[in-house]
Amino acid sequence: MANLTDLPDSDSLAIAELQALFALQKEAFQRNSYPSAQRRRDDLRRLAQTVLDHRDAINEALALDFGAHPRVAGDLIEVAGVAEGMLAAASRVEKWMRPERRHTDLLQFGTGKAFVAHQPKGVIGNIVPWNFPFHLALSPLGDMLAAGNRVILKPSEYTPHSGALLARMLAKAFDQEQVAVVNGGVPLAQAFTRQRWDHLLYTGSTQVGRLVALAAAENLVPVTLELGGKSPVIFDRDSVTAGNVGHMLAIKLVKNGQMCIAPDYCLVPRADLEKFVAFARAHFEGELAGYSGGEDCTGIISQRHLQRNQRLLDEARRQGTQVIQLDAAGTLDPQTRRMPVSLVVDPPDDLAIMQEEIFGPMLVVKPYDDLDEALSTIKRGERPLALYLFSDQPAVIDRVQRETTSGGFCVNACAVQGMVHSLGFGGVGHSGTGRHHGFDGFREFSNPRGVFVRGRGGVFEVLAPPYGRKANRMAGLALSAARLKARGLWGTIFGP
Ligand code: NAD
């Protein structure tokens, strides 16, 4: 990384501010490292109230950052959805904080008690992407506060209005020694990853996630990586219906395809390919007429991202792949960066649209001949963040669930696995590591400390020198017991 003196003033100021805030929060954590359940409940409720109070400002910032953004989507996902998650956590946090009792062997440990006590990790960094600038900043913040931590957030440089609003609204609700926001570009992001956090959450692309993990490893900082990838949708035989295709397309259009768990490519029985295309066209002619020129369409975040989307489509056309603009009358609006939706039919595997996460209003459809082929296509790729299956066959559902691996799995619907507060959310392999949301988030941002409190009885003195007769007798008994257990005879002799 460049020396602070080589950076433009704004970058070096932002980095100096980050370092000062980090020192402030570290020091505050030393003074108070275990907020009470009441304090955490109050924090979560205040956060929910702050989000609700800023509803209009949040929607305005989203419209400015995206060029165009449906207000109702802002209300549902970035305001009500966030507040709802905080309030659910507030009502459960005391229960989550209770120590978890663990089994101990009476003979060995006497009446001593073993339990896991979740304690705050300390000061956590949260690097936020641009696609849900409030939801992905605040929802994990709620998990981190529920677990009793202090947090510094770094919004994306692509959403400057949302980043500035986050800084203002959180400064009104919290002392900076508990929650703070730093805004800036890539030099700040890089400096952020080099702090010696007690935990670091990064949400964004797999490519940058790798850099974040490398930087964190320098300080042995534990990381949660919420990454992306290509999330497939399998349509089983008899499942290519107007309802299923329409539902999948509707989910694809949340943020105009700029959602980490958006369907990326659909695997459709070869015999049903034409039917699939016809249902997709009909959905746009009926339900979604005028979509890309209307208020429900979100703008593409930047000119750079817009050009990339067009490059993917141009390459497919150049190579002779059929590209169908589903929103037939739609045009690209350069002002608001709203872009029509395209279906790319059976592209060859070496096209960029088959190699990269799409993250825009384009959808690939690939035919398959049997389920083995569909599953092997998925298994050849990296493990996805989400996998969707439309099927009414229990044996098929069971098989796909057992034979594939992904962060989340959703049957006969798309994206719902990400909305259920009681389900942890995260990826696997190249789509991420770790979980947040609800209790899983509380656990992710806590140190699960193993505690043993000695009671009466137990055999502790035999474990350390001087090893006398008692220790030798104990070792003999332990070896005999282990031999019986290994041969499966222990239960027969002593009962289960
Ligand atoms: P991105 O990787 O470009 O940027 C995310 C964040 O990383 C930004 O705050 C940015 O400032 C920071 N950053 C950029 N360069 C950096 C560097 N060299 N070192 C450290 N930080 C750096 O991601 P994006 O384009 O904002 O988001 C899109 C991607 O995020 C997609 O792949 C999508 O699937 C993924 N995503 C995943 C989830 C999830 O929960 N798994 C949610 C939303 C988005």
Side-chain angles (χ1 to χ4, degrees):
M1 193 190 76
N3 194 300
L4 267 192
T5 51
D6 302 331
L7 291 170
D9 277 355
S10 57
D11 287 328
S12 45
L13 273 175
I15 294 171
E17 187 195 3
L18 164 67
Q19 285 162 351
L21 287 167
F22 182 76
L24 180 80
Q25 292 204 353
K26 273 284 196 191
E27 203 267 328
F29 185 73
Q30 298 299 340
R31 270 186 283 116
N32 178 3
S33 52
Y34 195 85
S36 66
Q38 184 58 48
R39 171 74 199 264
R40 299 183 200 195
R41 248 193 315 269
D42 291 348
D43 288 342
L44 290 162
R45 289 190 180 134
R46 193 165 61 258
L47 188 51
Q49 191 58 53
T50 304
V51 175
L52 294 170
D53 291 346
H54 287 80
R55 171 194 171 195
D56 289 337
I58 287 174
N59 279 304
E60 278 158 30
L62 289 168
L64 286 168
D65 284 333
F66 282 87
H69 193 281
R71 192 178 166 83
V72 66
D75 280 348
L76 279 170
I77 304 170
E78 312 249 14
V79 181
V82 172
E84 173 59 30
M86 306 294 156
L87 297 169
S91 67
R92 296 190 181 106
V93 67
E94 190 160 6
K95 191 168 154 223
W96 295 346
M97 288 168 71
R98 279 184 210 141
E100 287 171 17
R101 270 301 286 279
R102 294 294 158 94
H103 169 77
T104 51
D105 180 66
L106 189 68
L107 219 58
Q108 207 176 347
F109 302 106
T111 61
K113 293 195 181 354
F115 54 92
V116 173
H118 289 101
Q119 62 176 170
K121 285 201 156 189
V123 179
I124 299 189
N126 178 5
I127 303 182
V128 183
W130 50 261
N131 64 333
F132 291 95
F134 294 93
H135 185 86
L136 292 171
L138 300 174
S139 206
L141 171 62
D143 296 344
M144 292 166 186
L145 291 176
N149 298 288
R150 291 157 197 277
V151 185
I152 304 180
L153 297 98
K154 196 212 75 65
S156 168
E157 58 280 12
Y158 284 107
T159 49
H161 297 92
S162 303
L165 175 60
L166 276 167
R168 283 201 306 281
M169 61 193 249
L170 290 173
K172 271 198 244 164
F174 292 93
D175 283 342
Q176 289 208 312
E177 59 178 46
Q178 191 181 7
V179 177
V181 178
V182 287
N183 275 299
V186 171
L188 174 67
Q190 288 170 326
F192 202 91
T193 59
R194 287 182 165 80
Q195 285 308 122
R196 202 168 159 176
W197 303 103
D198 296 308
H199 194 102
L200 178 61
L201 164 65
Y202 167 81
T203 307
S205 62
T206 302
Q207 208 181 354
V208 175
R210 187 176 286 113
L211 300 176
V212 172
L214 281 169
E218 283 281 326
N219 287 315
L220 295 180
V221 167
V223 286
T224 301
L225 299 173
E226 295 285 348
L227 311 177
K230 295 180 82 61
S231 295
V233 188
I234 306 176
F235 284 82
D236 188 15
R237 270 178 301 126
D238 303 327
S239 293
V240 177
T241 63
N244 288 344
V245 174
H247 166 80
M248 181 277 303
L249 280 171
I251 297 297
K252 175 75 184 177
L253 298 183
V254 175
K255 295 259 172 172
N256 214 10
Q258 302 168 103
M259 176 167 75
C260 56
I261 50 173
D264 187 285
Y265 65 98
C266 294
L267 295 167
V268 172
R270 194 172 294 282
D272 293 333
L273 185 63
E274 274 179 32
K275 199 160 71 168
F276 180 94
V277 172
F279 283 142
R281 283 187 200 270
H283 188 69
F284 269 82
E285 280 158 19
E287 302 272 322
L288 287 166
Y291 164 76
S292 62
E295 288 191 353
D296 290 348
C297 182
T298 304
I300 302 304
I301 189 67
S302 74
Q303 279 302 333
R304 189 169 74 80
H305 290 80
L306 188 62
Q307 282 160 9
R308 174 192 164 269
N309 290 349
Q310 286 172 317
R311 261 202 316 277
L312 293 183
L313 290 176
D314 289 346
E315 187 200 23
R317 285 193 196 96
R318 261 200 326 275
Q319 302 291 325
T321 298
Q322 187 186 14
V323 177
I324 302 168
Q325 186 176 311
L326 290 173
D327 185 9
T331 51
L332 171 69
D333 176 6
Q335 202 75 39
T336 59
R337 301 186 298 277
R338 281 177 298 177
M339 181 185 169
V341 183
S342 297
L343 191 64
V344 180
V345 185
D346 197 11
D349 287 347
D350 60 346
L351 288 192
I353 203 160
M354 289 302 292
Q355 300 288 326
E356 299 172 17
E357 178 182 2
I358 294 178
F359 221 60
M362 303 88 85
L363 180 76
V364 164
V365 55
K366 289 282 283 182
Y368 70 85
D369 290 313
D370 56 33
L371 193 57
D372 287 341
E373 186 193 344
L375 293 182
S376 87
T377 302
I378 292 170
K379 288 187 209 170
R380 271 201 310 275
E382 295 297 348
R383 293 172 167 182
L385 188 57
L387 175 64
Y388 303 117
L389 169 67
F390 287 92
S391 175
D392 55 11
Q393 300 296 316
V396 171
I397 297 172
D398 201 41
R399 182 174 173 208
V400 175
Q401 188 180 323
R402 275 189 283 107
E403 292 189 19
T404 59
T405 306
S406 59
F409 180 50
C410 188
V411 181
N412 292 327
C414 294
V416 183
Q417 82 285 2
M419 298 171 198
V420 179
H421 289 305
S422 55
L423 283 181
F425 184 86
V428 54
H430 280 222
S431 59
T433 177
R435 290 289 179 275
H436 59 67
H437 275 197
F439 182 53
D440 295 81
F442 170 86
R443 282 230 287 232
E444 181 84 2
F445 303 120
S446 296
N447 174 33
R449 195 182 204 183
V451 181
F452 177 77
V453 178
R454 189 171 181 175
R456 290 210 319 274
V459 279
F460 302 100
E461 65 281 13
V462 300
L463 296 175
Y467 298 113
R469 278 199 17 232
K470 200 168 171 188
N472 274 301
R473 222 176 30 245
M474 190 68 194
L477 282 173
L479 286 169
S480 306
R483 282 190 195 106
L484 286 175
K485 285 177 188 169
R487 289 163 62 196
L489 297 173
W490 181 269
T492 338
I493 302 170
F494 297 104

